[in-house]
Amino acid sequence: MNSVFLPEDLICTDSGQKPPNLHHWRGVRDIFSLHYVVRGTGYYEVGHATYKLTRGESFMIFPNTEVYYYPDPQDPWEYVWVDFKGTESQRLLSMTKLTHDKPIVTKSPVDLEPFFHQIEATGMAPFQRERSSACLHLLLSYYMEHYPQEKILQKNDYVVSAKEYIENNYWKATLTVSDIVKYVSIERSYLFRLFKDATGMSILSYLKAIRIKRACTLLHSSKFSIKAVAWSVGYQDQLYFSKVFKKATSYSPSEYMKKNALASGGKEEA
């Protein structure tokens, strides 16, 4: 029997808005809880630190961490919040400045309140859970954008972004290295150096490798013509594709198809 429950990659467990009052809370949660101050002033205590927060600032409650937060009695805060859990939670937060050691971020350059209101924790239908997760992903993407974890951005993410762009666009015959550099938005020679250090290949070599890998997958099935395969991996000239393919694999596309047909159990005619 197929389960109706979805993998717990990123699940919203609760969300809402607290109006200005003297509510305070102390304790330990077993989930992540992100709060965004809409107006007023409040305080967040965790460990041996006390943080004063005002409009546009955020604080995170991490799982299994004792915290205490409360409003300023003269100017009580109003805030929105979202509680969440799942295997994706830590990965996404690791790309932001929000950490156990510094669980607060300063005023956002954009108003994040509307994104909290888009997240609904109610409903058990798969489409409701997926929609809630998508809205939560959107919210966290703004924290990744406006409060990025600099060490990741300086090196690894540039290479990851370039690789993902290639893997998503290799099929375009018009794709060039300049397009990839423009997408990543850093200086050309710097990206070349980072990419070579991380992969051992040039960007152009990586693009060719991705195209040949995909071509091998398509040729292995023997369902498609060589011309269709060539077009599908970014080569509009079938003869040129065959030349590039043979240089990379030592087989022509037709030889590769026959070789794999035999390896899969086909029989040569007597």
Side-chain angles (χ1 to χ4, degrees), residues 3 18 44 85 131 159 210:
S3 172
K18 188 199 76 63
Y44 180 49
K85 63 180 182 178
R131 188 176 297 160
V159 176
I210 291 296

Side-chain angles (χ1 to χ4, degrees), residues 78-174:
E78 176 180 355
Y79 58 75
V80 287
W81 85 91
V82 58
D83 297 342
F84 57 96
K85 63 180 182 178
T87 54
E88 275 285 87
S89 302
Q90 191 60 60
R91 185 186 72 83
L92 294 172
L93 290 175
S94 71
M95 290 185 274
T96 75
K97 290 182 177 179
L98 288 164
T99 66
H100 282 87
D101 294 332
K102 192 174 182 182
I104 60 100
V105 289
T106 56
K107 185 175 181 179
S108 170
V110 298
D111 182 11
L112 296 175
E113 180 186 1
F115 299 102
F116 282 83
H117 293 306
Q118 292 178 18
I119 304 170
E120 297 181 4
T122 58
M124 290 298 293
F127 78 86
Q128 292 173 314
R129 292 163 65 91
E130 289 287 359
R131 188 176 297 160
S132 176
S133 177
C135 291
L136 182 52
H137 268 97
L138 178 61
L139 171 65
L140 294 178
S141 75
Y142 281 94
Y143 281 85
M144 292 161 59
E145 177 184 2
H146 298 299
Y147 309 106
Q149 212 288 341
E150 288 90 346
K151 290 182 180 179
I152 296 177
L153 282 178
Q154 286 177 354
K155 291 187 177 181
N156 186 54
D157 264 16
Y158 294 132
V159 176
V160 170
S161 294
K163 290 172 69 176
E164 288 181 345
Y165 188 76
I166 291 169
E167 290 160 11
N168 291 333
N169 295 275
Y170 69 87
W171 54 273
K172 297 179 180 177
T174 56

Side-chain angles (χ1 to χ4, degrees), residues 107 149 192 244 247:
K107 185 175 181 179
Q149 212 288 341
F192 285 3
V244 172
K247 184 176 181 180

Side-chain angles (χ1 to χ4, degrees), residues 23-25 35 43-44 59 61 67-71 77 79:
H23 169 77
H24 60 92
W25 193 86
H35 293 62
Y43 299 88
Y44 180 49
F59 68 92
I61 300 174
V67 301
Y68 177 41
Y69 56 97
Y70 51 93
W77 60 7
Y79 58 75

